[in-house]
Amino acid sequence: MTKYYHITTYGCQMNVHESEKIAGILSELGYESCERIEDADIAVFNTCCIRENAENHAFGNIGMLKKLKKSKKDMIIAVGGCLTQQIGKADVLHEKYPYVDVIFGTHNLNDLKALIIKKQKQKKAVIEIKDEGVICEEEHPLRTSFPNAWINITYGCNNFCSYCIVPYVRGRERSRRSENIIREAEELISKGYKEITLLGQNVNSYANGTDDISFPELLRRIAKIDGKFRLRFMTSHPKDFSEELAKVISENPKICHSVHLPVQSGSNPVLKAMNRKYTVEDYIGKVEILKKYVPDCTLTTDLIVGFPGETEEDFLGTMRLVERVGYSSAFTFVYSKREGTVAARMDNQIPEDVSKDRIMRLIALVNSQTRSQSAQYVGKTVEILCEDFDTKKGLYQGRDGYGRMAYFASDKNAIGEFVNLKITEANGISLYGERI
C-alpha cells in the first residue's frame, strides 16, 4: 500500500532547498508526495523564525492538524527548521502540541530518516535538537524546481546583525569544499537544469579562513562548465562584496547581471545599531564598483523600516538611497522583534503606526521604480528561461537574466527552454510578450 508525504515550507530559498532534501529522505523511506495534507501519512513542517508572521503561520497550521491527527492516529507529524532550533522552542512546541511526533532542528536534517524510523517503533514523541551541525555530502534531494536548481555553498553565519536570529539557529559559518560544489553543478547541468543558484547566508565570505578557493574563483570555475545555463547567487553581504567579484561577473556571460545586495537601511546610525559593518558611503562605493564593470547590472535589496531608534530623518535617508541606486525590486519589511537578538533589548522601539506609515511610503517608491524599469522593456526582444505554467493566467512564465518575470502563450510545453519574447506589455514587476 502506497504511503504519502506532504511538506509545508516557510521562509527563504535555503528552506525551499532543504525541503527538497527532506523529500529525498522521505522518498528513500518509501513515501510518495501528495498535494493535500489530509491525504498524507507523514506531514512535515519546515519552519522559519526570521519573521514573526512566519512563526505564527507555522504554529497556526500545526494547530489545525489536531483534529486530523485524532482521525488518523498513525499519521506522523514532524516539525523542523529554524523555529525548533531556537532555545526552548522545541519544549514549547511539544507542550503546546503534544500530538507532534518528531521535532528536529536545523542541525538534525541528516538524522531525519533515523528519527522517523525511531518514531515508528515507539509511541512517545522523538525530539532531537543538536547544538552544532556538520556538512553532509551524502544528501540526495528530490528536486522540485526544474529547470532551476539550488546548491548550498555555505551554512550558518558569522555576522551577528543585531536584528537577526540566523547565527543562533543556523550556527557559525561553514563552507562546503569547492570540488563537491562544482561536481554537483556538473551533475545538474548534465541532467538538463538550466539555472543554478548558489546559496548561503553570505556567499561572499565563502571559504574564508580555509585553504579553498575564493567565491569569485568558484563562480569562475562553475561558469566554465559546458552547456547553456545561467548562474546566480544569493545572498551577498555588502561588507564582503569585492572588485574581483564584479570583474568575474563581467567576464562570464553565464553569470546573471543581477545581484541581490541587501542594504537594510540608508542611515549610518541605524546601520551601526544593526551591526552591519559598513556605512551608506561604503555601500554606494560597492554599487559604483559593480556598475563600473557591469553597467547593465540590476540590483535588488532588502530594506527594514522601524528599527529601534529610527528617526524620520533616518527613514528619509533610506528613501534617498533607494532613489539613488534605482533598485529593480526590493524586499521591504517592518522590523520584527526576535527573542534572543540584541535589537530585541534595545530602547526606543518604534510605534506600530509610525512603522506602517513608513513601510507604505517605501513600498510606493520601490513600486514606482519597478514600474518605470518594466515599462522600458516594451517593444524589446528578451530571452527568458521558461520555468512554469501559470494555471490562473493560462500562460507560461519565466525570467530573463536580470530577474524580470515574463508571461507568454505557447502551443507546446516550453518549460525548461530558453525562449525569445517580444515584450508587448508591462504590468508592475511583470512583463507580457509574444514568442518569436
Side-chain angles (χ1 to χ4, degrees):
M1 180 179 175
T2 303
K3 290 190 174 183
Y4 296 97
Y5 72 83
H6 183 280
I7 302 172
T8 304
T9 307
Y10 304 88
C12 64
Q13 287 83 356
M14 192 167 292
N15 265 20
V16 172
H17 183 39
E18 289 190 348
S19 286
E20 293 181 330
K21 296 176 185 178
I22 292 171
I25 292 169
L26 298 176
S27 178
E28 290 176 4
L29 286 169
Y31 292 89
E32 294 183 11
S33 176
C34 66
E35 291 289 331
R36 301 187 333 134
I37 198 167
E38 294 84 359
D39 299 327
D41 297 284
I42 180 167
V44 182
F45 292 87
N46 188 10
T47 64
C48 172
C49 65
I50 305 306
R51 307 290 302 166
E52 186 176 11
N53 284 344
E55 185 173 319
N56 291 340
H57 286 159
F59 276 131
N61 288 332
I62 294 167
M64 290 172 63
L65 288 189
K66 183 177 182 179
K67 185 177 180 180
L68 180 62
K69 179 71 171 179
K70 285 184 177 180
S71 62
K72 295 183 67 173
K73 296 187 183 300
D74 292 334
M75 179 185 191
I76 293 176
I77 300 174
V79 182
C82 293
L83 173 61
T84 59
Q85 192 67 41
Q86 289 186 86
I87 295 176
K89 283 295 176 71
D91 293 334
V92 171
L93 183 67
H94 180 54
E95 182 179 342
K96 192 173 182 179
Y97 308 101
Y99 50 86
V100 171
D101 302 289
V102 179
I103 300 175
F104 62 102
T106 57
H107 304 315
N108 298 92
L109 184 61
N110 301 316
D111 302 321
L112 181 58
K113 183 176 181 179
L115 297 178
I116 293 172
I117 292 173
K118 183 177 180 180
K119 172 57 192 173
Q120 289 171 336
K121 296 178 180 178
Q122 66 182 48
K123 287 186 177 181
K124 67 177 183 178
V126 176
I127 303 173
E128 188 170 327
I129 309 292
K130 290 182 178 178
D131 293 332
E132 296 182 0
V134 295
I135 293 176
C136 177
E137 295 292 351
E138 303 304 319
E139 298 166 334
H140 303 285
L142 188 62
R143 297 184 183 272
T144 57
S145 53
F146 181 85
N148 305 317
W150 315 98
I151 299 179
N152 283 112
I153 67 169
T154 68
Y155 297 88
C157 184
N158 292 340
N159 287 312
F160 288 91
C161 299
S162 64
Y163 55 84
C164 186
I165 197 73
V166 166
Y168 306 98
V169 296
R170 289 283 180 179
R172 304 301 176 268
E173 187 176 286
R174 309 174 302 283
S175 295
R176 294 178 62 195
R177 294 294 302 179
S178 59
E179 56 266 28
N180 295 329
I181 297 169
I182 294 168
R183 185 183 306 115
E184 185 174 352
E186 289 173 337
E187 290 174 356
L188 288 167
I189 293 162
S190 70
K191 292 177 180 178
Y193 285 86
K194 299 296 195 303
E195 183 169 297
I196 305 296
T197 302
L198 306 182
L199 294 177
Q201 301 298 336
N202 178 14
V203 292
N204 295 344
S205 61
Y206 169 78
N208 276 0
T210 74
D211 61 353
D212 211 336
I213 60 177
S214 67
F215 178 60
E217 180 60 25
L218 178 65
L219 284 176
R220 185 180 287 113
R221 295 190 187 184
I222 295 176
K224 288 181 179 178
I225 299 173
D226 289 337
K228 183 172 182 177
F229 65 93
R230 291 176 181 165
L231 182 58
R232 299 184 189 271
F233 55 88
M234 64 186 313
T235 294
S236 288
H237 195 296
K239 74 178 177 62
D240 298 311
F241 192 92
S242 66
E243 185 171 9
E244 182 188 5
L245 177 54
K247 288 181 180 178
V248 168
I249 296 171
S250 70
E251 295 165 355
N252 293 275
K254 290 178 181 176
I255 303 175
C256 291
H257 287 192
S258 177
V259 173
H260 188 65
L261 197 63
V263 66
Q264 307 300 358
S265 174
S267 161
N268 284 336
V270 173
L271 288 173
K272 184 176 181 179
M274 288 178 167
N275 194 35
R276 290 292 287 175
K277 301 182 179 70
Y278 56 82
T279 64
V280 174
E281 292 75 21
D282 294 334
Y283 182 89
I284 291 172
K286 299 296 178 77
V287 171
E288 290 176 346
I289 288 173
L290 178 59
K291 292 290 188 176
K292 172 186 173 183
Y293 289 97
V294 194
D296 65 335
C297 190
T298 59
L299 278 163
T300 57
T301 197
D302 295 342
L303 296 162
I304 297 173
V305 304
F307 188 80
E310 181 189 63
T311 65
E312 177 66 10
E313 181 55 34
D314 292 328
F315 169 70
L316 292 177
T318 298
M319 296 284 278
R320 288 191 292 269
L321 179 66
V322 170
E323 289 176 338
R324 176 167 182 173
V325 175
Y327 294 106
S328 174
S329 64
F331 297 99
T332 56
F333 306 96
V334 172
Y335 167 72
S336 177
K337 186 188 291 187
R338 299 284 77 197
E339 183 180 345
T341 64
V342 173
R345 302 189 299 272
M346 289 181 176
D347 295 329
N348 299 320
Q349 299 285 328
I350 304 302
E352 184 178 350
D353 61 334
V354 174
S355 293
K356 284 186 176 180
D357 172 68
R358 289 174 182 172
I359 195 70
M360 295 308 295
R361 289 151 64 191
L362 179 60
I363 290 173
L365 174 59
V366 171
N367 287 347
S368 69
Q369 290 184 335
T370 299
R371 286 193 298 270
S372 176
Q373 292 184 30
S374 293
Q376 296 174 22
Y377 274 87
V378 176
K380 295 181 179 179
T381 298
V382 299
E383 181 184 71
I384 71 151
L385 172 60
C386 183
E387 301 173 347
D388 204 354
F389 182 78
D390 188 314
T391 54
K392 291 183 179 180
K393 294 179 183 291
L395 298 171
Y396 286 92
Q397 65 183 59
R399 290 178 297 162
D400 71 352
Y402 302 99
R404 190 69 85 209
M405 183 67 72
Y407 296 87
F408 66 99
S410 177
D411 293 333
K412 63 177 183 177
N413 184 359
I415 296 174
E417 295 182 10
F418 286 100
V419 176
N420 287 321
L421 296 183
K422 184 174 182 179
I423 304 303
T424 58
E425 180 186 351
N427 182 11
I429 200 169
S430 302
L431 309 173
Y432 295 83
E434 298 174 351
R435 185 171 183 173
I436 297 177

